[in-house]
Amino acid sequence: MNNEKKIVTEILDCIESIIKNISKDNETIKSFRTRARDIPLYLFMRGPTYTMVYIAARSNVYILNKAFKASNCEELIMSIIGRDQKFMRMGSDKKGYALYGAVVIYVLKRLNLIKAGSFTELINETLNNPALYSYLSAISEWIKRFAEGYIEA
């Protein structure tokens, strides 16, 4: 299976998990959709390192780090929204950033596109691996399209 097919499959699984598990939190779902529409531009204008730091600044590194350990997207989403007090205390805007960033990291890790095991390592990898830009571009565009198609504005 080629990388694009794997990317599409993983992202669709994540989008469906988000919708299934967060559908009652309309503001967070809308925030995720907004992030999905905005982040590709940040990536294009500022590059992968800035974009990932920006996502972390708008959410929470502790939550983003969960994406490095998840074995599937349902597990990731549930570990974030389940009983995580940090996530529960966030506003819907921050929750949208956290979910978006976690999905991006999860897909990168799941497809072995990165070696990083933490957010700090990911930042170092974005600085030293120019190929990550193209992977992040593809991932962010697919998330955008699925979010626009599956989540109502």
Side-chain angles (χ1 to χ4, degrees), residues 5 7 29 50-52 78 81 98 110 116 122 138 140 151:
K5 188 173 182 180
I7 288 170
I29 269 240
Y50 177 88
T51 301
M52 294 310 296
M78 293 311 294
I81 68 166
R110 178 87 169 142
L122 174 62
S140 68
I151 301 169

Side-chain angles (χ1 to χ4, degrees), residues 60-108:
N60 185 295
V61 171
Y62 165 81
I63 291 171
L64 297 180
N65 275 324
K66 291 178 179 238
F68 292 98
K69 297 172 183 83
S71 58
N72 61 61
C73 211
E74 181 85 11
E75 175 188 312
L76 171 62
I77 301 306
M78 293 311 294
S79 76
I80 293 171
I81 68 166
R83 295 187 181 122
D84 192 296
Q85 293 300 312
K86 288 183 190 314
F87 186 78
M88 288 180 184
R89 287 192 301 261
M90 289 178 166
S92 59
D93 197 45
K94 285 184 171 260
K95 287 178 180 178
Y97 276 104
L99 289 167
Y100 182 89
V103 168
V104 169
I105 293 167
Y106 166 79
V107 172
L108 286 169

Side-chain angles (χ1 to χ4, degrees), residues 17-79:
S17 293
I18 288 169
I19 291 167
K20 174 182 158 189
N21 294 295
I22 308 178
S23 62
K24 291 184 172 121
D25 186 351
N26 199 36
E27 293 305 310
T28 295
I29 269 240
K30 284 183 177 181
S31 175
F32 177 85
R33 184 180 192 270
T34 300
R35 304 302 64 86
R37 296 182 84 200
D38 294 346
I39 296 297
L41 182 59
Y42 282 96
L43 184 60
F44 176 74
M45 300 286 287
R46 302 300 298 262
T49 306
Y50 177 88
T51 301
M52 294 310 296
V53 171
Y54 180 79
I55 291 168
R58 298 285 189 220
S59 62
N60 185 295
V61 171
Y62 165 81
I63 291 171
L64 297 180
N65 275 324
K66 291 178 179 238
F68 292 98
K69 297 172 183 83
S71 58
N72 61 61
C73 211
E74 181 85 11
E75 175 188 312
L76 171 62
I77 301 306
M78 293 311 294
S79 76

Side-chain angles (χ1 to χ4, degrees), residues 125-149:
E125 203 166 330
T126 64
L127 292 168
N128 297 311
N129 183 354
L132 273 179
Y133 176 78
S134 67
Y135 292 128
L136 281 167
S137 292
I139 290 166
S140 68
E141 283 297 324
W142 280 111
I143 293 172
K144 176 181 177 178
R145 295 302 171 216
F146 280 122
E148 288 174 335

